[in-house]
Amino acid sequence: MAFLADERLADGKAVDAEMLRNLVQFMRMFAEQCHHGKEEQYLFPALTKNPVPHTRRVLKTLESKHRRVHTLTNGLAQAVSGYVLDPVAGREPVATIFRDIAAFYPRHIWKEEYLLFPIAKQVLSPSEQEEIGRGFSDIEPEIGSDVHHAF
Ligand SMILES: [Fe+2]
Ligand SMILES: [Fe+2]
C-alpha cells in the first residue's frame, strides 16, 4: 500500500487521504502495539533469562530500532496531517517518510531473521516457546481480534 502511494506521489498524482490515515493506524496498532508488543513483552524477556553471549547487544539494537519505528510513525502521522491540509505542499514530506520507512525495514527484518531468531532457537525450550505463543495470543485481543484480522 505504501509503495503504491509512493508511486502515485512520485507521478504527481493525488493519494487518497483515507488510505494514508489507514497506514498510520497500521503502523501504530499492528507494527508498534501488536508486533513490537509481542517481541518486547514476551520474546525479548524470555531470551535474557538464558542468554547466549551477544544476546543483550542484539536486543539493545532491536529495541533502539523499535524506537526508530516510533519516530518514523510519528513522522508519517505528521506528514499525512500536512498532506490532508495541503496536498501539493504536503506531497514531498509524505514521499520522503515513505522512502525512510522503505529504507529502514529490510535491514531491521534481516537483523531479526538472522541475529534474533537463531538465538531464540538456541535458548528457548519447546515449553518456553509455547508460553511465548500464549503471550502473543493475549496481545491480539488488546488491539481487537477483528482489528488484527482486518490488518
Ligand atoms: Fe521487532
Ligand atoms: Fe519483528
Side-chain angles (χ1 to χ4, degrees):
M1 203 157 57
F3 297 108
L4 183 70
D6 191 26
E7 252 175 46
R8 288 188 64 85
L9 288 165
D11 290 347
K13 291 178 187 156
V15 172
D16 179 36
E18 188 58 29
M19 180 173 80
L20 294 175
R21 285 199 203 92
N22 287 341
L23 277 170
V24 175
Q25 278 297 92
F26 176 83
M27 291 292 290
R28 284 210 195 289
M29 297 181 84
F30 191 86
E32 289 208 85
Q33 196 180 340
C34 183
H35 189 85
H36 294 179
K38 288 175 179 178
E39 291 174 341
E40 291 178 6
Q41 288 179 51
Y42 296 99
L43 180 59
F44 294 178
L47 297 180
T48 55
K49 278 191 215 155
N50 180 18
V52 293
H54 59 289
T55 305
R56 280 178 212 289
R57 189 163 35 88
V58 171
L59 294 181
K60 256 184 116 175
T61 303
L62 292 175
E63 279 161 359
S64 90
K65 297 303 170 192
H66 286 181
R67 288 195 293 277
R68 171 83 181 129
V69 173
H70 188 62
T71 304
L72 288 167
T73 303
N74 285 341
L76 178 65
Q78 207 178 349
V80 168
S81 299
Y83 182 82
V84 170
L85 289 174
D86 184 345
V88 175
R91 179 180 296 147
E92 194 47 44
V94 173
T96 300
I97 197 87
F98 277 156
R99 285 186 206 115
D100 290 347
I101 292 169
F104 168 83
Y105 266 105
R107 264 198 275 176
H108 182 61
I109 292 168
W110 187 92
K111 284 183 188 129
E112 293 196 342
E113 290 274 333
Y114 296 103
L115 299 177
L116 182 71
F117 294 167
I119 296 171
K121 281 186 189 148
Q122 202 176 329
V123 306
L124 297 174
S125 68
S127 71
E128 284 172 315
Q129 290 182 38
E130 275 171 34
E131 198 184 318
I132 291 167
R134 280 192 292 276
F136 286 1
S137 307
D138 289 343
I139 295 248
E140 288 168 19
E142 284 175 22
I143 67 163
S145 295
D146 50 333
V147 175
H148 184 268
H149 187 71
F151 281 140

